[in-house]
């Protein structure tokens, strides 16, 4: 027994010495060749500026309440939270990998032996029964020496998966914030389009009344009256379409906020809902610490690196110890007769995979490929992030230019519409010139509203693309 104990202790000593070994590579961030600045960089913004928090960036209190409601009740976010809870449990369990396992096995067994067998004849001779009972209760401890740092790699992989999911949830929240804001701006846009249509219906009524009087006085033909009626219907058609789109947009916004469809309160105009237009664009490299999706992609590489190390460690020897102690008896009344029924064992095992049909090598090569894929996806997430910032900058900048042009165009069209009406009353312009001027003014007003909406969406996209959206 002493000799066996000596050998077991020797195995344990070797295992403890080898525990410091680790076959997996330490994680190193892939090299990324980021540009120094974004395309269409905003002028006058320094890298020392602070990216505004969510409740400072958005000024509209109604919008902020909708965003808070969405962050609290959106079902996609709730699913992401539950996924995080799962990974947190996995991480906590991975932290216990170095601990041994302990099992208790209790059983009773009765076997009827063959009378023609040696055991059967002896059993009947000594026990006086044609069967043999076996009662056992055993505590078995099992511990595997962490020779190659597998426990550390399991913890690292679980840790990386947990934080990757956490950043994915932050990215989801950021996206939900942007979607709620943009849906809210679209809703106000539809309100303004409805107001424009209603104003143009009123204007069409006054024009039609004027043309109808001239028709009744035989100053114009029925063609002019029909054209005026058609122009009025064009404006009237916009009203039910706008109301339909308003209802659909309200429904979509309610669903984003985790509510059933209903009417929603909102600001009276796009200008009243305009957020803070100030950004800390900094440099593209700052996206590594700001963008949750970029951080999640990097955590995915860390997790893949740990899985590669585990796949490699599976090809190396494993040393385990399995001591056990219990009580065993062939009679129930002497089952717990201590020390007579005590049974003990101790085992030390060394397992080295030799021929596994290349399964372990293939698993290692697959893990390496998965790690390379994760690195490529990380670079792609950076490309996407820089591209989204550049796109939003371009949209914001050029939307401002278009707004200036459309406002200047509005002044000319307003003057042209008024002049056409005056000239028509003086018989110096035709009804077609009046209708054309009114139609052009209507289209310009609708275009101006759409450009304002695009501007607001560009600002929101830029805020999200730079890493803003959640505290």
């Amino acid at each position: 027994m002493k000799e066996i104990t000596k050998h077991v202790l020797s195995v344990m000593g070797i295992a403890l010495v080898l525990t410091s070994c680790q076959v997996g590579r330490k994680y190193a961030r892939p090299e990324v060749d980021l540009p120094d600045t974004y395309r269409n960089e905003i002028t006058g913004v320094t890298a020392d500026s602070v990216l505004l928090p969510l409740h400072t960036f958005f000024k509209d209190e109604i919008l902020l309440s909708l965003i808070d409601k969405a962050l609290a009740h959106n079902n996609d976010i709730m699913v992401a939270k539950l996924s995080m809870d799962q990974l947190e449990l996995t991480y906590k369990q991975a932290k216990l990998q170095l601990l041994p396992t302990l099992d208790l096995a209790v059983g009773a067994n009765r076997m009827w032996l063959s009378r023609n067998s040696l055991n059967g004849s002896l059993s009947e001779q000594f026990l006086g029964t044609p069967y043999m009972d076996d009662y056992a209760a055993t505590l078995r401890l099992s511990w595997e020496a962490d020779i190659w740092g597998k426990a550390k790699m399991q913890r690292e992989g679980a840790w990386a998966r947990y934080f990757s999911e956490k950043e994915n949830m932050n990215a989801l929240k950021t996206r939900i914030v942007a979607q709620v804001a943009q849906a809210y701006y679209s809703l106000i846009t539809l309100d303004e389009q409805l107001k424009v249509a209603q104003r143009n219906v009123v204007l069409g009524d006054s024009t039609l009344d004027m043309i109808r009087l001239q028709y009744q006085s035989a100053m114009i033909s029925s063609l002019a009256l029909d054209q005026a009626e058609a122009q009025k219907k064009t404006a009237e058609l916009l009203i039910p379409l706008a109301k339909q789109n308003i209802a659909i947009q309200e429904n979509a916004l309610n669903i984003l906020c985790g509510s059933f469809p209903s009417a929603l309160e909102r600001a009276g105009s796009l200008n009243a809902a305009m957020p803070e237009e100030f950004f800390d664009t900094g440099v593209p490299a700052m996206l590594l610490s700001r963008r949750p999706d970029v951080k999640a992609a990097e955590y995915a590489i860390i997790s893949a690196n740990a899985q590669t190390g585990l796949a490699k460690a599976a090809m190396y020897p494993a040393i385990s110890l399995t001591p056990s102690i219990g009580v065993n008896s062939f009679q129930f009344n002497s089952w717990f007769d201590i020390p007579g029924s005590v049974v003990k064992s101790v085992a030390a095992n060394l397992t080295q995979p030799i021929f596994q049909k290349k399964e372990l090598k293939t698993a290692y090569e697959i893990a390496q490929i998965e790690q390379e894929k994760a690195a490529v996806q990380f670079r792609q997430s950076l490309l996407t992030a820089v591209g989204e910032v550049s796109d939003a900058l371009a949209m914001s900048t050029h939307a401002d230019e278009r707004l200036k042009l459309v406002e200047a165009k509005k002044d000319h069209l307003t003057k042209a519409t008024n002049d056409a009406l005056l000239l028509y009353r003086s018989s110096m312009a035709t009804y077609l010139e009046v209708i054309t001027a009114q139609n052009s003014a209507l289209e310009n007003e609708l275009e101006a509203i759409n450009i304002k909406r695009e501007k607001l969406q560009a600002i929101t996209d830029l805020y999200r693309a730079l890493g803003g959206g959640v505290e």
Side-chain angles (χ1 to χ4, degrees):
M1 182 65 185
K2 291 182 178 179
E3 190 68 22
I4 294 175
T5 304
K6 182 179 179 181
H7 289 309
V8 171
L9 290 174
S10 299
V11 172
M12 290 181 64
I14 295 170
L16 290 172
V17 170
L18 293 175
T19 299
S20 60
C21 302
Q22 184 172 337
V23 296
R25 293 183 180 180
K26 188 176 180 181
Y27 168 73
R29 176 181 287 172
E31 292 185 5
V32 287
D33 186 17
L34 289 170
D36 295 330
T37 59
Y38 299 105
R39 184 176 179 178
N40 297 321
E41 180 68 88
I42 294 177
T43 58
V45 178
T46 67
D48 296 329
S49 304
V50 178
L51 187 66
L52 296 177
L54 167 65
H55 284 80
T56 305
F57 176 75
F58 294 106
K59 300 295 186 181
D60 191 327
E61 292 297 329
I62 301 174
L63 173 58
L64 286 172
S65 67
L66 289 172
I67 290 173
D68 289 338
K69 185 178 179 182
L71 293 177
H73 301 291
N74 181 271
N75 290 315
D76 291 333
I77 293 176
M78 293 176 72
V79 170
K81 287 179 179 178
L82 292 173
S83 297
M84 275 195 63
D85 292 340
Q86 289 177 312
L87 290 173
E88 185 178 9
L89 292 173
T90 303
Y91 175 54
K92 288 179 178 178
Q93 194 274 328
K95 292 166 68 176
L96 305 176
Q97 290 300 310
L98 283 175
L99 297 180
T101 59
L102 181 65
D103 299 310
L104 172 64
V106 180
N109 180 47
R110 174 169 288 183
M111 181 181 291
W112 281 264
L113 302 170
S114 169
R115 291 181 178 181
N116 295 329
S117 68
L118 178 61
N119 289 335
S121 60
L122 290 173
S123 172
E124 192 163 354
Q125 179 181 350
F126 287 100
L127 299 177
T129 60
Y131 55 82
M132 179 181 290
D133 290 338
D134 184 60
Y135 301 95
T138 307
L139 276 173
R140 182 176 290 105
L141 186 75
S142 181
W143 177 73
E144 181 180 344
D146 187 21
I147 301 175
W148 313 114
K150 289 191 285 186
K152 180 181 178 182
M153 288 184 285
Q154 286 173 340
R155 288 197 308 272
E156 186 178 81
W159 169 83
R161 286 191 295 274
Y162 172 77
F163 280 99
S164 178
E165 185 63 27
K166 182 179 180 181
E167 294 302 335
N168 280 328
M169 187 174 74
N170 288 335
L172 173 62
K173 287 182 176 181
T174 300
R175 188 167 67 250
I176 293 296
V177 167
Q179 287 176 349
V180 169
Q182 291 177 345
Y184 182 76
Y185 297 143
S186 295
L187 190 56
I188 300 174
T189 298
L190 292 169
D191 287 341
E192 295 210 350
Q193 288 176 350
L194 178 59
K195 292 174 186 175
V196 168
Q198 290 170 338
R199 286 200 305 269
N200 275 272
V201 168
V202 173
L203 178 61
D205 281 335
S206 62
T207 303
L208 183 59
D209 289 341
M210 180 181 64
I211 292 176
R212 187 176 287 116
L213 288 173
Q214 290 187 333
Y215 172 73
Q216 292 171 354
S217 303
M219 296 176 63
I220 58 173
S221 67
S222 61
L223 178 61
L225 185 61
D226 292 337
Q227 289 281 5
E229 290 276 9
Q231 172 63 19
K232 180 188 172 186
K233 295 299 180 186
T234 300
E236 288 177 343
L237 280 170
L238 294 175
I239 294 176
L241 179 61
K243 289 180 177 179
Q244 168 193 304
N245 291 334
I246 286 170
I248 292 172
Q249 191 64 50
E250 284 180 327
N251 295 343
L253 187 49
N254 272 299
I255 291 170
L256 268 177
C257 296
S259 302
F260 288 103
S262 64
L264 289 171
E265 184 185 359
R266 58 263 195 187
S269 68
L270 288 172
N271 291 332
M274 185 71 69
E276 182 72 33
E277 190 179 355
F278 179 77
F279 301 97
D280 169 20
T281 55
V283 295
M286 294 179 72
L287 294 176
L288 291 170
S289 61
R290 280 186 179 172
R291 288 270 300 222
D293 56 336
V294 173
K295 289 190 280 186
E298 185 169 10
Y299 280 124
I301 305 177
I302 297 173
S303 176
N305 181 67
Q307 293 303 312
T308 302
L310 287 169
K312 187 175 182 181
M315 297 187 288
Y316 287 79
I319 297 176
S320 62
L321 298 174
T322 314
S324 67
I325 185 170
V327 287
N328 181 245
S329 176
F330 65 90
Q331 291 181 332
F332 183 79
N333 56 4
S334 62
W335 187 1
F336 291 93
D337 183 12
I338 298 175
S341 297
V342 174
V343 59
K344 296 178 286 186
S345 71
V346 62
N349 301 294
L350 178 91
T351 306
Q352 169 62 58
I354 296 177
F355 180 69
Q356 302 289 327
K357 297 179 289 186
K358 292 186 69 175
E359 289 180 359
L360 298 179
K361 183 180 179 182
T362 301
Y364 175 61
E365 291 173 348
I366 290 174
Q368 285 182 309
I369 294 172
E370 288 294 330
Q371 186 173 346
E372 291 176 11
K373 284 168 58 179
V376 172
Q377 289 167 349
F378 170 67
R379 294 188 184 96
Q380 181 60 37
S381 68
L382 271 174
L383 281 174
T384 301
V386 175
E388 287 179 351
V389 174
S390 298
D391 289 348
L393 284 169
M395 288 179 65
S396 179
T397 302
H398 296 301
D400 286 334
E401 296 175 3
R402 291 166 63 200
L403 275 174
K404 290 178 182 177
L405 291 172
V406 83
E407 287 299 325
K409 183 179 177 182
K410 178 183 177 181
D411 293 338
H412 291 294
L413 288 173
T414 301
K415 184 176 184 298
T417 302
N418 293 333
D419 289 348
L421 286 169
L422 291 173
L423 290 170
Y424 183 76
R425 290 190 182 101
S426 303
S427 300
M428 297 177 66
T430 66
Y431 65 91
L432 287 176
E433 290 174 311
V434 174
I435 292 172
T436 301
Q438 289 180 346
N439 192 52
S440 298
L442 172 62
E443 291 177 354
N444 190 69
E445 279 193 271
L446 295 175
E447 185 179 4
I449 292 170
N450 284 328
I451 294 173
K452 286 181 181 178
R453 177 181 57 82
E454 291 175 15
K455 170 67 177 178
L456 284 166
Q457 290 186 340
I459 294 172
T460 307
D461 276 336
L462 184 55
Y463 183 67
R464 180 196 59 80
L466 289 170
V470 292
E471 280 79 12

